[in-house]
PDB file of all heavy atoms in Angstrom:
ATOM      1  N   LEU A  44     101.018  92.829 115.336  1.00  0.00           N
ATOM      2  CA  LEU A  44     100.041  93.231 114.378  1.00  0.00           C
ATOM      3  C   LEU A  44     100.455  94.662 113.783  1.00  0.00           C
ATOM      4  O   LEU A  44     101.155  95.452 114.437  1.00  0.00           O
ATOM      5  CB  LEU A  44      98.685  93.529 115.047  1.00  0.00           C
ATOM      6  CG  LEU A  44      98.085  92.365 115.902  1.00  0.00           C
ATOM      7  CD1 LEU A  44      96.913  92.997 116.704  1.00  0.00           C
ATOM      8  CD2 LEU A  44      97.593  91.279 115.055  1.00  0.00           C
ATOM      9  N   ILE A 115      86.469 102.300  99.782  1.00  0.00           N
ATOM     10  CA  ILE A 115      86.114 103.611 100.375  1.00  0.00           C
ATOM     11  C   ILE A 115      87.063 104.632  99.733  1.00  0.00           C
ATOM     12  O   ILE A 115      88.116 104.236  99.177  1.00  0.00           O
ATOM     13  CB  ILE A 115      86.208 103.646 101.921  1.00  0.00           C
ATOM     14  CG1 ILE A 115      87.563 103.283 102.363  1.00  0.00           C
ATOM     15  CG2 ILE A 115      85.169 102.621 102.486  1.00  0.00           C
ATOM     16  CD1 ILE A 115      87.804 103.576 103.827  1.00  0.00           C
ATOM     17  N   MET A 181     103.100 102.550  84.463  1.00  0.00           N
ATOM     18  CA  MET A 181     103.354 101.194  83.928  1.00  0.00           C
ATOM     19  C   MET A 181     103.203 100.100  84.995  1.00  0.00           C
ATOM     20  O   MET A 181     103.762 100.211  86.052  1.00  0.00           O
ATOM     21  CB  MET A 181     104.781 101.102  83.367  1.00  0.00           C
ATOM     22  CG  MET A 181     104.977  99.826  82.524  1.00  0.00           C
ATOM     23  SD  MET A 181     106.645  99.870  81.721  1.00  0.00           S
ATOM     24  CE  MET A 181     106.402 101.149  80.502  1.00  0.00           C
ATOM     25  N   ALA A 239     102.748  86.159  83.423  1.00  0.00           N
ATOM     26  CA  ALA A 239     102.778  87.116  82.334  1.00  0.00           C
ATOM     27  C   ALA A 239     104.163  87.670  82.093  1.00  0.00           C
ATOM     28  O   ALA A 239     104.438  88.374  81.069  1.00  0.00           O
ATOM     29  CB  ALA A 239     101.837  88.224  82.546  1.00  0.00           C
TER      30      ALA A 239
END
Side-chain angles (χ1 to χ4, degrees):
L44 311 165
I115 62 166
M181 189 176 296

